[in-house]
């Protein structure tokens, strides 16, 4: 069964450093998403991406964050200057095309900011 | 905006007993409803979804859920649980009119603990 792949599974970074989280969505999917889950809290929507541009974003997704699909297969989330409170599990998801389709999630990247 | 409430943060159940995980939602528009399961150190896996039609929805691993519009609920049930069902269960909602760009709004999750 097709999967959404995320790398790395765990990343440790120093406060103030830039970090890039990588995702390979399912190849024929058209919508891509990033979510985060701070330890012990709910999964929160960050951003959706369609046709090479951001479609929707939450209030969490401020100027520190950016997304890109650099080469037609990877989908990346960049955090420019990490803060301690950015420590969380980040999930990538993709969706074939429509609102009635299920979202397929990756296994997540655990980001630890020290 | 939508919101999801999962009242129980933790539900302990004996093996082979039935279980119900509760989910209530709030929305001013029609919604689609989802249940996801997260096994330890893994991603979110779709258990089932309600889009329209029959209010009783069957999913994978023997789970089912019933959409109740008047009570704004979407409780998840399984008649007989197994040790392997130990996991975190998330209820999620999406605007029915929002299109593919809309994200899911999740509840806080319920940790299902199966006791032998």
């Amino acid at each position: 069964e097709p999967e959404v792949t995320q790398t790395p599974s765990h990343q440790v970074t120093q406060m103030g450093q830039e970090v890039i989280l990588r995702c390979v969505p399912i190849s024929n999917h058209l919508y891509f998403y990033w979510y985060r889950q701070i330890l012990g809290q709910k999964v929160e929507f960050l951003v959706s991406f369609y046709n090479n541009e951001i479609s929707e974003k939450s209030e969490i997704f401020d100027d520190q964050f950016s997304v890109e699909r650099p080469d037609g297969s990877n989908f990346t989330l960049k955090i420019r200057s990490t803060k301690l409170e950015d420590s969380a599990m980040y999930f990538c998801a993709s969706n074939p095309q429509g609102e009635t389709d299920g979202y397929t999630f990756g296994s997540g990247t655990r980001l630890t900011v020290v | 905006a939508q919101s999801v409430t999962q009242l129980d943060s933790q539900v302990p159940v004996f093996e082979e007993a039935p279980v119900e995980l509760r989910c209530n939602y709030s929305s001013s528009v029609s919604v689609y409803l989802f249940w996801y399961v997260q096994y330890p150190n893994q991603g979110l896996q779709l258990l089932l979804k309600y889009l329209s039609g029959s209010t009783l929805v069957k999913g994978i691993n023997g789970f089912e859920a019933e959409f109740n519009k008047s009570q704004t609920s979407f409780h998840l049930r399984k008649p007989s649980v197994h040790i392997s069902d130990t996991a975190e269960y998330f209820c999620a909602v999406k605007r029915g009119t929002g299109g593919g760009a809309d994200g899911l709004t999740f509840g806080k999750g319920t940790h299902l603990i199966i006791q032998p």
Side-chain angles (χ1 to χ4, degrees):
Chain A
E1 191 170 326
E3 288 184 343
V4 173
T5 306
Q6 289 186 245
T7 55
S9 56
H10 190 188
Q11 179 149 1
V12 181
T13 189
Q14 291 211 321
M15 194 167 53
Q17 295 296 305
E18 175 183 284
V19 68
I20 297 176
L21 309 183
R22 301 179 194 281
C23 170
V24 179
I26 295 173
S27 61
N28 62 346
H29 284 194
L30 301 180
Y31 290 88
F32 315 113
Y33 313 84
W34 283 101
Y35 289 80
R36 80 170 184 193
Q37 183 183 27
I38 294 172
L39 188 64
Q41 298 188 26
K42 62 173 73 175
V43 177
E44 300 171 292
F45 169 73
L46 292 178
V47 65
S48 62
F49 192 85
Y50 171 74
N51 201 25
N52 270 330
E53 58 184 24
I54 290 173
S55 299
E56 297 279 346
K57 58 182 181 178
S58 71
E59 59 273 13
I60 303 168
F61 194 88
D62 60 22
D63 292 344
Q64 272 226 112
F65 292 91
S66 62
V67 289
E68 198 178 30
R69 191 157 159 79
D71 56 14
S73 61
N74 289 285
F75 178 51
T76 61
L77 173 70
K78 183 194 289 186
I79 308 175
R80 272 181 253 288
S81 177
T82 50
K83 307 188 198 75
L84 293 176
E85 54 265 36
D86 293 326
S87 295
M89 181 74 91
Y90 289 82
F91 291 106
C92 174
S94 67
N95 189 330
Q97 54 186 349
E99 60 201 56
T100 60
D101 295 294
Y103 301 71
T104 302
F105 283 80
S107 297
T109 293
R110 180 165 295 287
L111 177 65
T112 302
V113 182
V114 297
Chain B
Q2 296 74 48
S3 67
V4 177
T5 303
Q6 291 182 250
L7 288 168
D8 305 304
S9 59
Q10 198 165 286
V11 172
V13 181
F14 286 108
E15 196 173 12
E16 296 183 11
V19 69
E20 178 179 82
L21 305 183
R22 296 181 291 169
C23 172
N24 289 89
Y25 70 92
S26 169
S27 176
S28 56
V29 299
S30 63
V31 294
Y32 299 140
L33 293 152
F34 305 80
W35 274 99
Y36 281 85
V37 60
Q38 184 180 29
Y39 298 105
N41 301 315
Q42 294 188 31
L44 299 164
Q45 182 182 1
L46 180 67
L47 273 179
L48 48 78
K49 60 186 176 185
Y50 172 79
L51 306 176
S52 64
S54 172
T55 56
L56 184 63
V57 180
K58 293 194 185 296
I60 62 171
N61 301 342
F63 283 93
E64 63 181 33
E66 184 150 23
F67 170 59
N68 187 320
K69 189 174 180 181
S70 62
Q71 297 187 3
T72 60
S73 67
F74 190 55
H75 300 331
L76 181 71
R77 292 191 284 259
K78 185 169 182 178
S80 174
V81 295
H82 303 285
I83 289 284
S84 58
D85 292 323
T86 296
E88 193 81 17
Y89 290 80
F90 293 95
C91 181
V93 65
K94 180 188 170 306
R95 281 189 306 170
T97 55
D102 262 19
L104 297 172
T105 299
F106 283 85
K108 287 190 172 183
T110 298
H111 188 196
L112 178 61
I113 302 167
I114 309 301
Q115 301 167 326

